[in-house]
Amino acid sequence: MKQLIASLGLVTLLGACTGLPENIQPVSNFNIQKYQGKWYEIARLDHSFEQNLSNVTATYAINNDGSVEVINKGYHTQDKEWQQADGIAKFVNGDDIGHLKVSFFGPFYGSYVVFGLDQNAYQYAYVTSYNKEYLWLLARTPKVSQSVIDDFVQTAQQYDFAIEQLIYVQHNDIE
């Protein structure tokens, strides 16, 4: 019986990791064809897996089975070397909703929620995960206008993200 309760608890916990944070809705009319390609990380809430990383990019490509290849890359400023994480993403509730689950570690998935998007040109995106401890501003270019940053910060503040903890990512010509 204890194993069953533990298993149910684990299933509940893993399910929560692919859920939505409170009051956050993914964008509708999402188009993965337009979203694929290279994105630059402009701002983020920091986490151990991205600590000391600059020049961070995420590249998405559609696989034949409809899943999405994910390649995250960044330059570790202390180790002076590039780091890369390869993963796979799958849609949670249909391919026209900006809610995917992404895995970098086998069967374990976490939410990837696009809750803000330049739906005309797909030039910037606001992304979170299953809770509000995760937040990213992604863009097609390594720099964005101050108006995009201001809108991102204002939107994040409205949703109660810890905007005072935002890190703005440096992008330079490291090879």
Side-chain angles (χ1 to χ4, degrees):
M1 185 64 158
K2 286 182 182 180
Q3 283 183 317
L4 177 61
I5 292 171
S7 296
L8 289 174
L10 181 61
V11 167
T12 301
L13 176 64
L14 291 175
C17 291
T18 59
L20 297 169
E22 185 177 351
N23 300 321
I24 300 285
Q25 290 299 314
V27 297
S28 54
N29 299 317
F30 185 76
N31 183 332
I32 193 63
Q33 294 286 339
K34 290 170 70 174
Y35 197 81
Q36 71 178 335
K38 186 174 191 175
W39 291 83
Y40 294 85
E41 190 177 271
I42 305 300
R44 70 171 182 257
L45 291 178
D46 210 19
H47 286 278
S48 60
F49 58 87
E50 284 191 288
Q51 210 161 36
N52 299 312
L53 291 183
S54 67
N55 298 283
V56 179
T57 60
T59 304
Y60 306 101
I62 303 168
N63 293 318
N64 290 336
D65 65 0
S67 65
V68 179
E69 176 187 47
V70 180
I71 300 172
N72 290 344
K73 186 176 176 182
Y75 185 77
H76 196 282
T77 57
Q78 290 183 339
D79 294 344
K80 306 232 183 291
E81 65 182 16
W82 287 97
Q83 295 183 353
Q84 181 172 310
D86 299 338
I88 190 161
K90 299 176 181 179
F91 284 95
V92 174
N93 293 315
D95 63 6
D96 64 338
I97 304 295
H99 182 198
L100 295 93
K101 59 183 183 177
V102 65
S103 176
F104 294 96
F105 309 107
F108 303 104
Y109 284 86
S111 268
Y112 182 96
V113 183
V114 180
F115 69 97
L117 180 64
D118 165 26
Q119 287 192 304
N120 291 325
Y122 279 61
Q123 292 300 299
Y124 60 85
Y126 307 164
V127 179
T128 187
S129 189
Y130 66 95
N131 69 30
K132 294 181 182 176
E133 294 177 18
Y134 299 91
L135 179 66
W136 295 272
L137 168 57
L138 303 179
R140 294 296 189 171
T141 57
K143 294 184 187 209
V144 297
S145 69
Q146 188 61 47
S147 64
V148 169
I149 292 172
D150 291 346
D151 184 69
F152 171 71
V153 170
Q154 181 181 17
T155 301
Q157 187 172 28
Q158 289 173 349
Y159 287 116
D160 296 322
F161 286 95
I163 59 166
E164 68 281 354
Q165 295 176 23
L166 281 171
I167 292 173
Y168 293 90
V169 180
Q170 180 183 11
H171 288 276
N172 49 33
D173 294 330
I174 299 172
E175 290 299 324

